[in-house]
């Protein structure tokens, strides 16, 4: 598993109040496990049933792999010194995210009440901070890596020919009629001919 986090700082909170239900403000993107994520802040709730609450989503912005991403996450409201406030910290079970669909977002419809006494407790100087910790399953990372690997084309014969032409690593020399000398590689000769194998590595070694 791979874990990372991002902190969304909401400055000028009062100017977002009244943005209207289901309208969101997005954080900058961040990367965990090779996938791109962002946090969405709904100052007036998801819908009419949560209009009196501040709602927070984790959104899978983009993934280089096809299919879904399995991840667990925790949303925490931070105090003035950057520490989580237990009454406003929620951990979600493992969820499936699919970028570009409704399943690309998961979150909490009622994280912070917009009642005046609650707002005065958690919002200081018209600001508050939300930290999101994300853990992506190892299987997702492994699949991402395996799909990114490039398998070389089956051209070993060409590479061996280039090695022979360069005479690099040649450890056998043939002398043919006329005195011409040709370098070769004993491992290749032994692999291609049982006679050479016996002469170079077996009982016929001289």
């Amino acid at each position: 598993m791979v874990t990372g986090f991002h902190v969304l700082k909401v400055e000028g909170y009062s100017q977002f109040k009244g943005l209207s239900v289901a309208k969101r403000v997005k954080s900058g993107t961040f990367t965990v496990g090779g996938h791109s994520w962002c946090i969405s802040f709904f100052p007036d709730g998801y819908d009419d049933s949560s209009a009196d609450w501040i709602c927070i989503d984790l959104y899978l912005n983009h993934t280089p792999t096809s299919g879904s991403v399995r991840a667990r996450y925790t949303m925490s409201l931070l105090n003035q010194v950057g520490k989580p406030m237990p009454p406003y910290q929620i951990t979600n079970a493992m969820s499936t995210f699919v970028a570009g669909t409704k399943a690309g977002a998961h979150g909490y419809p009622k994280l912070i009440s917009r009642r005046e006494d609650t707002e005065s407790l958690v919002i200081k100087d018209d600001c508050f901070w939300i930290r999101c910790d994300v853990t992506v399953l190892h299987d997702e990372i492994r699949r991402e890596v395996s799909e990114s690997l490039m398998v070389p084309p089956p051209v070993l014969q060409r590479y061996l020919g280039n090695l022979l032409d360069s005479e690099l690593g040649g450890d056998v020399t043939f002398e043919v009629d006329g005195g011409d000398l040709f370098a070769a590689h004993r491992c290749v000769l032994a692999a291609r001919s049982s006679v050479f194998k016996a002469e170079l590595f077996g009982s016929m070694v001289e």
Side-chain angles (χ1 to χ4, degrees):
M1 294 189 290
V2 174
T3 299
F5 73 92
H6 184 74
V7 176
L8 168 64
K9 180 181 181 181
V10 178
E11 296 183 282
Y13 164 70
S14 58
Q15 69 181 341
F16 295 112
K17 294 177 66 174
L19 188 64
S20 77
V21 170
K23 295 294 184 181
R24 66 178 180 174
V25 178
K26 293 174 64 176
S27 74
T29 58
F30 59 99
T31 301
V32 179
H35 310 286
S36 175
W37 308 83
C38 69
I39 304 171
S40 294
F41 153 59
F42 295 79
D44 295 319
Y46 289 141
D47 50 32
D48 290 339
S49 66
S50 58
D52 292 329
W53 293 80
I54 295 172
C55 305
I56 302 291
D57 262 352
L58 172 63
Y59 183 73
L60 178 60
N61 190 56
H62 173 72
T63 174
T65 64
S66 59
S68 58
V69 176
R70 295 276 292 165
R72 180 174 61 247
Y73 59 97
T74 298
M75 295 287 187
S76 307
L77 181 68
L78 304 182
N79 60 22
Q80 296 298 297
V81 294
K83 299 295 184 182
M85 301 174 67
Y88 306 100
Q89 183 177 42
I90 307 175
T91 298
N92 196 67
M94 197 64 68
S95 301
T96 300
F97 293 80
V98 183
T101 71
K102 289 184 177 180
H106 295 274
Y108 304 106
K110 296 181 179 181
L111 183 63
I112 306 170
S113 171
R114 290 182 53 191
R115 289 185 343 201
E116 224 176 277
D117 56 338
T118 302
E119 286 185 336
S120 64
L121 176 66
V122 302
I123 298 170
K124 303 297 182 183
D125 299 323
D126 211 22
C127 297
F128 67 91
W129 293 261
I130 294 288
R131 170 171 168 151
C132 179
D133 291 82
V134 183
T135 300
V136 177
L137 273 183
H138 176 73
D139 286 347
E140 298 294 335
I141 307 302
R142 184 173 57 192
R143 185 181 67 183
E144 175 189 338
V145 172
S146 65
E147 290 181 355
S148 67
L149 293 177
M150 295 295 294
V151 178
V155 289
L156 178 60
Q157 184 176 356
R158 188 181 72 191
Y159 294 145
L160 290 175
N162 293 338
L163 188 63
L164 182 61
D165 290 339
S166 70
E167 300 185 359
L168 183 65
D171 50 7
V172 176
T173 302
F174 288 95
E175 182 177 352
V176 300
D177 290 343
D180 292 330
L181 300 179
F182 295 90
H185 302 81
R186 65 175 57 210
C187 289
V188 177
L189 292 171
R192 295 288 293 168
S193 168
S194 59
V195 175
F196 280 127
K197 182 178 181 180
E199 290 183 340
L200 296 169
F201 296 100
S203 59
M204 296 175 63
V205 173
E206 297 178 358

